[in-house]
């Protein structure tokens, strides 16, 4: 999968962890492939108890560039309680600030709570992963200094308000992702997503912003290096 991505022009990618075991796998993968970097995190819908001490140790490995995936998911029925999600988020935001790492944030139905949590942690920097909201929400998080990360969702016909955000997002504040194996572009619905398919999103972002894919690649690279500083 890494080779296929590199062949398609995707020169760097981040494998995100959603619990301790998967975070360890991401770090191992990052040690095996120079194109891969790791995120260490605990997803808001993860049922297992977070082991913050172990996450803290792992997050200090040299290939770890971000605390993620973390966040809030208030739309999923039957997941961890809102209170528990918020407690964990504050602890992980503190960890990120302490280790001077950015955060990659998952948000479903929790924009106000996330905005308030970000405001509680000065010096926190990061990205709203799989950004799926309208311009008002985009501005809220841009004002906090956050980046917006666009995925295959922008190719869905019903998502015109999201394409508006793609057009208006400042050039130095957007990122691209696949969220693979999820988040496929419209033309690949029904098959698992892969890092190589980032080009589906990149082509549309370039078209919407009126630049070439090569120009977009340069911007994306400098934005990624500005946020994920350990990738330098
Ligand atoms: Zn997510």
């Amino acid at each position: 999968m890494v080779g296929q991505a590199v062949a398609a022009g995707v020169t760097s990618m981040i494998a995100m962890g959603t619990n301790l075991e998967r975070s360890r796998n991401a770090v191992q993968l990052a040690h095996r492939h120079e194109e891969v970097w790791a995120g260490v995190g605990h997803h808001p819908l993860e049922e297992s108890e977070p082991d913050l001490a172990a996450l803290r140790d792992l997050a200090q490995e040299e290939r770890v560039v971000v605390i993620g995936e973390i966040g809030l998911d208030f739309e999923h029925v039957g997941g961890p309680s809102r209170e528990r999600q918020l407690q964990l988020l504050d602890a992980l935001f503190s960890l990120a600030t302490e280790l001077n790492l950015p955060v990659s944030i998952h948000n479903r139905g929790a924009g106000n709570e996330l905005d308030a949590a970000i405001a509680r942690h000065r010096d926190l920097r990061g990205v709203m992963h799989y950004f799926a909201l309208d311009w008002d929400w985009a501005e809220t998080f841009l004002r906090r200094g956050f980046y917006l990360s666009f995925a295959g969702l922008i190719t869905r016909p019903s998502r015109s308000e999201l394409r508006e955000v793609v057009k208006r997002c400042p050039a130095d504040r957007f990122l691209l992702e696949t969220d693979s194996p999820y988040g496929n572009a419209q033309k690949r619905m029904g098959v698992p997503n892969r890092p190589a398919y980032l080009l589906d999103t990149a082509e549309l972002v370039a078209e919407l912003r009126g630049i070439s894919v090569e120009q977009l690649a340069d911007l994306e690279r400098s934005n990624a290096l500005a946020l994920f500083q350990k990738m330098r």
Side-chain angles (χ1 to χ4, degrees), residues 43-44 69-70 73 105-108 129-130 177 179 182:
H43 193 280
E69 183 172 336
I70 62 176
D73 194 317
I105 297 183
H106 167 108
N107 167 30
R108 273 176 77 207
H129 119 87
Y130 205 82
E177 67 172 283
D179 204 29
Y182 313 107

Side-chain angles (χ1 to χ4, degrees), residues 7-64:
V10 180
T11 51
S12 299
M13 53 209 106
I14 301 173
M16 291 287 174
T18 52
N19 59 30
L20 182 59
E21 192 196 344
R22 288 178 168 202
S23 297
R24 284 198 173 115
N25 291 345
V27 173
Q28 274 180 18
L29 196 69
H31 278 295
R32 282 206 303 274
H33 300 276
E34 60 176 354
E35 299 88 354
V36 179
W37 302 84
V40 164
H42 190 96
H43 193 280
L45 296 180
E46 172 66 32
E47 296 283 355
S48 67
E49 274 302 315
D51 182 341
L52 283 170
L55 285 173
R56 191 177 181 288
D57 284 345
L58 192 61
Q60 292 173 81
E61 292 254 355
E62 63 170 326
R63 302 287 298 175
V64 176

Side-chain angles (χ1 to χ4, degrees), residues 16-232:
M16 291 287 174
T18 52
N19 59 30
L20 182 59
E21 192 196 344
R22 288 178 168 202
S23 297
R24 284 198 173 115
N25 291 345
V27 173
Q28 274 180 18
L29 196 69
H31 278 295
R32 282 206 303 274
H33 300 276
E34 60 176 354
E35 299 88 354
V36 179
W37 302 84
V40 164
H42 190 96
H43 193 280
L45 296 180
E46 172 66 32
E47 296 283 355
S48 67
E49 274 302 315
D51 182 341
L52 283 170
L55 285 173
R56 191 177 181 288
D57 284 345
L58 192 61
Q60 292 173 81
E61 292 254 355
E62 63 170 326
R63 302 287 298 175
V64 176
V65 298
V66 59
I67 298 293
E69 183 172 336
I70 62 176
L72 299 174
D73 194 317
F74 291 173
E75 286 181 6
H76 185 84
V77 180
S81 70
R82 291 180 178 207
E83 192 183 28
R84 190 186 137 170
Q85 289 185 39
L86 275 162
Q87 259 176 15
L88 177 63
L89 185 76
D90 266 315
L92 291 167
F93 277 3
S94 295
L95 178 68
T97 308
E98 178 201 330
L99 299 180
N100 193 26
L101 285 170
V103 292
S104 178
I105 297 183
H106 167 108
N107 167 30
R108 273 176 77 207
N112 287 322
E113 290 80 359
L114 271 167
D115 186 40
I118 292 168
R120 283 196 292 277
H121 293 263
R122 285 209 304 146
D123 301 329
L124 187 74
R125 40 197 192 88
V127 54
M128 303 307 292
H129 119 87
Y130 205 82
F131 190 78
L133 302 171
D134 63 15
W135 179 248
D136 280 354
W137 280 115
E139 271 194 310
T140 299
F141 296 113
L142 288 167
R143 246 186 254 122
R144 296 275 179 215
F146 269 61
Y147 290 67
L148 308 180
S149 179
F150 301 111
L153 191 66
I154 66 163
T155 65
R156 310 266 166 88
S158 62
R159 294 301 187 128
S160 52
E161 59 178 29
L162 189 51
R163 285 186 285 279
E164 218 27 62
V165 178
V166 172
K167 282 185 202 165
R168 294 174 73 174
C169 183
D172 59 352
R173 298 285 284 285
F174 72 83
L175 293 166
L176 305 177
E177 67 172 283
T178 56
D179 204 29
S180 54
Y182 313 107
N184 245 331
Q186 184 69 20
K187 67 177 180 186
R188 292 187 212 271
M189 296 287 274
V191 298
N193 204 354
R194 286 171 165 243
Y197 301 160
L198 186 74
L199 272 290
D200 299 340
T201 303
E203 280 163 9
L204 181 55
V205 171
E207 185 190 318
L208 289 169
R209 297 181 69 92
I211 58 176
S212 69
V213 174
E214 290 71 26
Q215 287 170 317
L216 178 71
D218 287 344
L219 270 178
E220 159 70 12
R221 188 171 300 113
S222 69
N223 290 348
L225 292 178
L227 180 62
F228 306 114
Q229 294 169 359
K230 279 172 76 186
M231 285 171 86
R232 283 180 201 159

